[in-house]
Structure formats: C-alpha cells, structure tokens
Amino acid sequence: MACKFGWWVGVALCFVTTVADADIYFDRKIEELNGASFRLDLNNGCSLKDQYGSNKCTFKWGDSLSGQVSGKLSKDLEKGSEIEVDLKIDRFIPFNVKCPVCGGQCKIHIPVVDKEIDIPLPPCPIAATDISTEPFNFDIPAEAPVDATVAVSGEITLRDQTGAHVAKVHIDAKISESNFMQTYLK
C-alpha cells in the first residue's frame, strides 16, 4: 500500500492489522485534530462511521481488507516535529516511542519479543498538502503472528515543531489466535 500521508499512517495501519473478539479488533477515538484532517474508509468489517471514517472494526484472519485513506495537513511539519506513542500491551507492558516525524531515523524497541526496528524518515519539512491514496486492497495473514491473545491500548500524539498538538488519537486493539491455532495446536 503506497501512502503519501506519511510513514506514521502506514505504520499505524500495519500495526493494527498485524499486531491488533473476532480475531482482530480496532477502535479509535480522535481526541484532537488541529491544522489537519484525516479519514480512513474501510469497505468491510466496521460497525461505525463518523467524520473520521470507519471505526469499531473486526476482522478474521485471512479476510481481505480494502478502503482508502485521505487527509490534509494545513502547515508544514518542520524539524522538531515528533510523534509519541504511549501504549500498554495487555494493560501492563509499556510500549513508549518518541520519534521525529522527519529527518533521520526512528528507532523502536518492541517489548516482549525484544526486537529493534529502525525506520528511515523522510527529509524535513513534510509539506502541507491534501492527501488521497489510491484505493488499497490486501489480505490479512491467514493465521495470527503470535500464539496468544494480545491487547493494546493508549494514545498516539503528533506534535509540530512548536510542541503544539496536530493530532491525538486513542486506540484500543486486540488480536486473538487464529481458529487453526486454537483448534489444532492446543
């Protein structure tokens, strides 16, 4: 999925669909949106739509996921802009990341699996623009990536170079083992 809106939108979508009582559940609440707009429209699996698009979504392992992302950034994000992730995994394990939005690298340590990820960032500034992706369509993996149920809850905040909030989103996500794993591997 090519997404012009920025690496952090892609990371969030990938995180929700690979690491999120259906097999995968996702719920988000946009708490702040200043100088920006955002909309994610999924074609299936969601029970609620609001001004930000699809919400309260449930998927099964192996489902096809399709939709479109659109948004607007009213002013440039300059050097010093940052994204902060403040999540809890299974209500107890902290997952905290604070990275620049542009220029350099974002180093992320994933707890529990003790894995490091290094994400190259686009150069600064990220220009103000209207964004609309081509419709996307991909298959969720047929089986869960882990042999466990994992819940994630918390906030993701995007700040501009002055420290002002551009966006603040609360998410609740949960992934459960695939039925294959539950039936044949227990």
Side-chain angles (χ1 to χ4, degrees):
M1 167 179 67
C3 182
K4 298 180 208 167
F5 199 66
W7 67 268
W8 47 276
V9 172
V11 168
L13 285 172
C14 290
F15 179 76
V16 168
T17 59
T18 61
V19 195
D21 198 275
D23 293 333
I24 302 168
Y25 173 78
F26 176 74
D27 181 12
R28 56 100 188 118
K29 179 181 178 196
I30 307 293
E31 295 180 353
E32 292 181 58
L33 205 51
N34 304 304
S37 65
F38 176 80
R39 187 169 180 91
L40 169 64
D41 289 302
L42 299 174
N43 294 333
N44 57 308
C46 303
S47 63
L48 181 67
K49 283 207 182 247
D50 60 18
Q51 69 266 33
Y52 307 112
S54 302
N55 198 19
K56 298 195 182 295
C57 304
T58 51
F59 307 101
K60 295 283 185 194
W61 295 111
D63 280 357
S64 288
L65 187 59
S66 61
Q68 186 164 351
V69 177
S70 61
K72 181 178 182 175
L73 186 58
S74 299
K75 65 180 187 173
D76 293 353
L77 291 176
E78 304 281 346
K79 183 176 180 173
S81 300
E82 64 184 13
I83 187 164
E84 182 175 4
V85 177
D86 182 13
L87 302 175
K88 293 279 192 224
I89 300 171
D90 290 332
R91 295 186 325 217
F92 299 106
I93 303 167
F95 179 64
N96 300 306
V97 176
K98 192 179 220 179
C99 286
V101 172
C102 56
Q105 304 280 323
C106 179
K107 296 179 185 301
I108 300 173
H109 177 261
I110 302 175
V112 182
V113 294
D114 197 30
K115 183 170 173 88
E116 298 288 332
I117 297 174
D118 197 16
I119 300 171
L121 302 175
C124 293
I126 295 178
T129 187
D130 285 335
I131 287 62
S132 181
T133 62
E134 294 294 319
F136 62 84
N137 186 9
F138 64 93
D139 292 332
I140 296 171
E143 295 181 14
V146 293
D147 188 17
T149 295
V150 178
V152 177
S153 182
E155 294 179 341
I156 300 171
T157 306
L158 176 64
R159 292 183 187 87
D160 69 15
Q161 60 276 7
T162 70
H165 288 186
V166 176
K168 187 172 187 179
V169 180
H170 181 89
I171 65 163
D172 290 301
K174 184 177 182 180
I175 63 168
S176 301
E177 300 172 57
S178 65
N179 289 334
F180 174 84
M181 289 179 158
Q182 292 173 352
T183 304
Y184 298 104
L185 299 180
K186 296 288 180 193

